[in-house]
Amino acid sequence: MASRTEIPPASTRLPLGALLALTTAAFTTVLTEALPAGVLPAMSAGLGVTESATGQLVTVYAVGTAVTAIPLVAATATWRRKRLLLAGVAGFAVANTVTAVSADYGLTLVARFVAGVAAGVVWALLAGYARRLAPAHLAGKAIAVVMAGIPVALSLGIPAGTFLGGALGWRPTFWVMSALAAVLVGWIVAVVPDHAGQPAGRSALRATSRLAGVPAVLFVTLVFVLAHNVFYTYIAAFLGAVGLGGSVDLALLVFGVASLVGIWVVGALIDRRPRALMVACTVLVAVAAIGSAVLTGSAPLVFAAVAVWGLGWGGVPTLLQTAAAHAGGDAADTAQAMLVTVWNVAMSGGGVAGGVLLALLGPMSLPWAVVLLLVPVFAAVLATRAFRPATG
């Protein structure tokens, strides 16, 4: 499937057609991961298992991404990048098709694991691909365009998928996801340029981990994503504790819209002020956590804190992916694979840690845990030069 088209010489404009194809790949990745949660009761009944067991379809997806991203990127280092991207997106089409037709829980678990493997491949490619498509002084903006697929999926895609699942059933919803992946394959073939892989080497992972800035980016990713998921995973429990249990959908919508604003701001400024943006995002999320903990007597103020949280978090994936791509340099894809693995470990860890805190100390402990975890994040961001302009 390799294309004869090579990356063209850098121009002064972003190649939006190609970048939006990558944005759609990010959107597809996030929506494929989270969709079972949106159609959980119907999917549980259709597969003949409990809702708890159905929830593990999300978990096994994350496991597939976490355990295979680094080995697969190392094994496919010499592949043409377009060929590898197409393989990842085709993996979504196959996995979602199997999910749509399967009546067997075990087979569905396997399909979800395969989808997670495809996600690991795609996530490892996206930031580096976007960076190579753009002029050096617009690399961060290009990554921001691609990463916009995340908040769009969270704020619009998942509610739309949930609605579609209620209206047509969960199986047609997964068929729609398969069709989207098939269309995306054609889009990538038509407009996304190709470029070569990198020389394979047994020491590539070790060498990349020693590059200046890479350990700092991975540390910030681990702790920031852990902090976010400690609270976000159990936001429904927190809102229930403060008398807003019936407003979870509204809170998530507020969070998603604010995230879109956050990524827009980051996209506009990332190529000039990435460190300042990362500091601002860290502070905003910390302030939102404190506000959530102390402003529980007022519903409007709680929603305001959720909005600040979304505003701060929205640009964080873009900032982290951009920093990893810059720090990785020619080994950007390997650095991205490491980031993807750390990200998924942190997501899983956040769910576990948040669950322990919820059981032992109650929901009001969750925002304070976020604040404590963000202290070392703030210190690391200030201490490292990893969050620097693309030309810096």
Side-chain angles (χ1 to χ4, degrees):
M1 289 188 288
S3 167
R4 294 173 296 173
T5 306
E6 293 288 343
I7 294 291
S11 67
T12 58
R13 295 191 299 177
L14 292 175
L16 286 179
L19 289 174
L20 290 176
L22 300 183
T23 304
T24 305
F27 174 90
T28 303
T29 303
V30 173
L31 189 51
T32 297
E33 178 174 20
L35 188 56
V39 294
L40 191 67
M43 201 170 184
S44 172
L47 293 173
V49 296
T50 65
E51 291 190 4
S52 176
T54 306
Q56 301 313 304
L57 297 175
V58 177
T59 302
V60 76
Y61 182 105
V63 171
T65 301
V67 302
T68 64
I70 291 176
L72 271 179
V73 167
T76 58
T78 59
W79 285 30
R80 305 290 301 184
R81 298 295 89 180
K82 187 169 180 175
R83 176 188 176 193
L84 187 57
L85 178 62
L86 286 168
V89 176
F92 286 131
V94 171
N96 283 323
T97 298
V98 172
T99 302
V101 301
S102 172
D104 181 77
Y105 177 69
L107 177 60
T108 305
L109 276 176
V110 172
R112 294 290 298 174
F113 183 85
V114 170
V117 173
V121 171
V122 172
W123 277 129
L125 289 171
L126 287 179
Y129 223 129
R131 179 171 173 261
R132 292 182 179 100
L133 284 171
H137 68 287
L138 294 177
K141 192 181 296 293
I143 295 174
V145 171
V146 172
M147 291 302 115
I150 299 173
V152 170
L154 293 173
S155 60
L156 301 177
I158 293 173
T162 302
F163 172 80
L164 188 63
L168 301 179
W170 66 272
R171 294 187 187 277
T173 304
F174 277 97
W175 275 116
V176 170
M177 292 302 301
S178 297
L180 175 61
V183 169
L184 182 56
V185 166
W187 190 357
I188 292 169
V189 169
V191 305
V192 176
D194 194 13
H195 62 85
Q198 57 195 41
R202 297 175 63 183
S203 61
L205 183 63
R206 184 182 305 171
T208 303
S209 67
R210 292 175 177 173
L211 292 173
V214 170
V217 174
L218 295 179
F219 173 80
V220 171
T221 299
L222 176 67
V223 185
F224 208 146
V225 176
L226 178 68
H228 170 74
N229 281 281
V230 160
F231 197 8
Y232 189 82
T233 304
Y234 300 98
I235 186 65
F238 173 82
L239 291 173
V242 299
L244 296 172
S247 301
V248 176
D249 290 347
L250 179 58
L252 293 178
L253 177 62
V254 169
F255 179 89
V257 172
S259 294
L260 288 173
V261 175
I263 200 168
W264 180 83
V265 172
V266 166
L269 300 173
I270 189 171
D271 290 303
R272 288 173 287 164
R273 306 295 297 272
R275 185 198 297 271
L277 288 169
M278 194 68 211
V279 168
C281 288
T282 306
V283 170
L284 283 172
V285 175
V287 168
I290 294 171
S292 298
V294 303
L295 301 175
T296 55
S298 168
L301 292 178
V302 171
F303 282 114
V306 170
V308 173
W309 182 10
L311 184 65
W313 175 256
V316 169
T318 299
L319 287 161
L320 293 173
Q321 295 258 13
T322 302
H326 291 343
D330 292 337
D333 292 346
T334 302
Q336 293 298 324
M338 295 169 70
L339 184 143
V340 167
T341 299
V342 169
W343 188 290
N344 280 275
V345 168
M347 283 184 64
S348 301
V352 173
V356 171
L357 287 172
L358 188 64
L360 295 181
L361 301 176
M364 297 310 298
S365 66
L366 302 176
W368 292 115
V370 173
V371 176
L372 289 175
L373 286 167
L374 289 182
V375 172
V377 169
F378 186 79
V381 171
L382 290 180
T384 181
R385 294 186 66 253
F387 298 93
R388 66 188 189 279
T391 55

